[in-house]
Amino acid sequence: MLVCFAVRFKIRLGASPLHPAFAPHLEDCSRCRAFADPIILQYRLFSALRASQEPGPDFYDGVRRRIRILQAERLASVPSQSVGWEAVVLQFQRVILSGAAAAALCIGLLAYSQSQNAAPVVARESGLESYIRPTQRDRIIITRSEPISQDDVLFALVTEDSEYAR
């Protein structure tokens, strides 16, 4: 059973069923022979077809000759000036495209480097926060000449506590 699986597997992978290593097993096993018979028939048909359609010795020389004739006719039908101008235009297009690609790459790299070097956006201080500067961990100096509301003091203390908790 294991031999049958191995033989079928190798044939499915592309091994020739006509290989001498498979012959003894294919003679003994009817299931494997039934599996391999259509494939053997295909091999024999394709080999006969290939043998009947081999090109003659002058075939490739005739193909090369025909290609040279077609190229000569094509070049004779096109004026030489237009071929020169077409080459110039194509070269100009290549320069423009490569320049545009290089410019896009430079702009992208410049924008990326600017985004990496940009200073972080700092929220603008307003009200009491601009006058409170902590000097030590437990002391806050308030430098304001105007009276302060209780809400401003409470907000400043709550803000400071959350910063020390970090």
Side-chain angles (χ1 to χ4, degrees), residues 31-50:
R31 290 176 50 194
C32 291
R33 188 173 42 251
F35 172 77
D37 279 341
I39 299 171
I40 292 172
L41 181 63
Q42 288 175 357
Y43 268 88
R44 289 184 179 150
L45 287 174
F46 284 134
S47 62
L49 182 64
R50 187 177 28 191

Side-chain angles (χ1 to χ4, degrees), residues 57-161:
D58 299 335
F59 176 76
Y60 294 109
D61 292 332
V63 170
R64 286 188 198 108
R65 190 176 330 111
R66 181 70 179 146
I67 290 173
R68 276 190 237 113
I69 291 170
L70 290 174
Q71 285 177 342
E73 288 175 358
R74 181 171 170 233
L75 288 177
S77 67
V78 178
S80 62
Q81 289 181 345
S82 66
V83 172
W85 280 107
E86 287 175 0
V88 170
V89 169
L90 288 175
Q91 189 66 28
F92 183 68
Q93 286 176 348
R94 289 183 188 132
V95 168
I96 294 296
L97 288 176
S98 62
L105 182 66
C106 289
I107 289 172
L109 289 174
L110 184 64
Y112 178 74
S113 67
Q114 290 297 326
S115 69
Q116 295 296 322
N117 295 334
V121 177
V122 179
R124 193 173 135 255
E125 294 179 354
S126 62
L128 183 64
E129 295 171 356
S130 63
Y131 295 105
I132 298 176
R133 301 280 182 245
T135 56
Q136 292 179 353
R137 187 174 185 99
D138 57 342
R139 296 169 69 190
I140 297 175
I141 299 174
I142 299 177
T143 58
R144 189 171 180 179
S145 60
E146 302 171 11
I148 301 173
S149 71
Q150 291 179 351
D151 292 338
D152 288 340
V153 173
L154 183 62
F155 179 75
L157 292 175
V158 168
T159 306
E160 287 299 317
D161 285 341

Side-chain angles (χ1 to χ4, degrees), residues 9-29:
F9 185 72
K10 288 179 182 179
I11 291 173
R12 281 189 187 119
L13 287 179
S16 172
L18 300 174
H19 194 273
F22 299 141
H25 180 72
L26 291 176
E27 289 175 7
D28 296 338
C29 182

